[in-house]
Amino acid sequence: MVKICCIGAGYVGGPTMAVIALKCPSVEVVVVDLNQKRIDAWNSDTLPIYEPGLDDVVKQCRGKNLFFSTKVDESVMEADIVFVSVNTPTKTTGLGAGKAADLTYWESAARMIARVSKSSKIVVEKSTVPVKTAEAIEKILTHNNKSEIQFQILSNPEFLAEGTAIEDLFHPDRVLIGGRETPEGQKAVQALKDVYAQWVPEDKILTTNLWSAELSKLAANAFLAQRISSVNAMSALCEATGANVAQVSYAVGKDSRIGPKFLNGSVGFGGSCFQKDILNLVYICECNGLPEVAEYWKQVIKINDYQKSRFVNRVVASMFNTVSKKKIAILGFAFKKDTGDTRETPAIDVCQGLLGDNADLSIYDPQVTEDQIKMDLTSKKFDWDHPLHLRPMSDTTTLEKVRVVKDAYEAAKDSHGVCILTEWDEFKTLDYQKIYEGMQKPAFIFDGRNVVDANKLREIGFIVYSIGKPLDAWLNDMPAVA
Ligand SMILES: NC(=O)C1=CN([C@@H]2O[C@H](COP(=O)(O)OP(=O)(O)OC[C@H]3O[C@@H](n4cnc5c(N)ncnc54)[C@H](O)[C@@H]3O)[C@@H](O)[C@H]2O)C=CC1
Ligand SMILES: O=C(O)[C@H]1O[C@H](OP(=O)(O)OP(=O)(O)OC[C@H]2O[C@@H](n3ccc(=O)[nH]c3=O)[C@H](O)[C@@H]2O)[C@H](O)[C@@H](O)[C@@H]1O
């Protein structure tokens, strides 16, 4: 029986390994983590992450060929294939701070693998890492293990998106495996290919050299984020000209060379990876003497930051240039629908911007807890991407002006404005008449995700702002600084 161990029981390690266990009943999969609470949750009825379909997959194989454990050394020692799916955050201090990937967790995992291994192993990079990381890992492994055993490093980046992780893992567009172009390297590639081939069609399993696989992951995220920044840049121009970003996206995406996906204008992209991976790409370009290329990708982040501050400015400007002591309802805090994940969510920047103008916020999200929201609003940039037990404690007591409530109606009651920051389906079907009646007048809706029918809301009496859509007369008369 092939034994797989995955270090890191997070958003990637958990679902990926659960699907491997489900699809490969003859493989034993152990997912390990240093975080006892997280492992306990994986072994309970309330999994540590919310992901549609995940409960079902875990229930089918947990205790049979899928195990979650904190016995890191023991599980790694027994494994034939070790996936490493630990955090690779942006460095906050030292060389490359604010851009470079912090490989502390990866390095300590590699040193541990070297220390405990008594048999040859395939070590798989599942985390997103800078190109050439495999070379560094190889050195750590070979210099820290004195026996005759061999380590083969593979790069097998993950392309799942949160909210659709299980579907993405069941039917991936492609699985990418990079390895050394030596006979041993190719043998290792084949061993991993055999695992995926149990459910992924062979023509979707791509094999490349190590560096192409590592770089393809950074490139894919950069391309995806670039599409969003491109459409968001257009959304500003749409508002200035009377064009409608949804119509422009549809028309542009109809070109089969461009395609329709990832062209939704929004308050900005969030999530744990787009910004981190682009910053990392920028740093790699700078280190390789390519400042023009670095500058090109940096612009994707700049537009994203611009989009978030543009939204805040629009809210404040529309309400007579101040939201001081005004109650503003925030609907949605997760970085996208169908996840409780808030890492780099645009809601953090928008809320902080409104708090900066002294607003009182009433926040509702169907999946995000009060503790999480308060931690996010008081944490320093990039601190979120460290394992929980190593994260600095934030001072949530400073948040007197934030209330987290149980539903959208409570959030909106007596508010001056409602900001929709996540595209949860339930926000499409709220009783907006009831919401309007309970609000201060004039009543504003700022739709950062283009989920509501603006015309219907205008009929009710709302002043509506929808990203990238023709502006209400009111908004035209209250221009916002960009
Ligand atoms: N979240 C996502 O949708 C995607 C993430 N990725 C990449 O996958 C990697 C992991 O991301 P997530 O799963 O989202 O992170 P996460 O923070 O949810 O999980 C990482 C886990 O690794 C554990 N860990 C850290 N160091 C450890 C060590 N030495 N030994 C044992 N456990 C350790 C942490 O306690 C944590 O539970 C990152 O490199 C990320 O860029 C790639 C594709 C998608
Ligand atoms: O490396 C990663 O972590 C993953 O990053 C993204 O996945 P994820 O961040 O989970 O979610 P996306 O669906 O890509 O959404 C990212 C952000 O962009 C926003 N978005 C997305 C699409 C769009 O058209 N407009 C838009 O604003 C979303 O609301 C969200 O805030 C990629 O889609 C995955 O392929 C990749 O594996």
Side-chain angles (χ1 to χ4, degrees), residues 161-181:
E162 288 175 30
T164 54
I166 297 301
E167 185 54 27
D168 294 343
L169 289 164
F170 279 1
H171 306 287
D173 285 347
R174 77 305 208 183
V175 165
L176 180 57
I177 305 174
R180 286 277 183 200
E181 286 152 316

Side-chain angles (χ1 to χ4, degrees), residues 256-285:
S256 61
R257 294 168 301 175
I258 297 172
K261 295 183 181 167
F262 266 70
L263 289 179
N264 290 327
S266 68
V267 61
F269 60 74
S272 61
C273 293
F274 280 174
Q275 172 169 287
K276 158 175 92 69
D277 293 349
I278 293 175
L279 290 172
N280 182 359
L281 185 65
V282 165
Y283 184 69
I284 295 168
C285 293

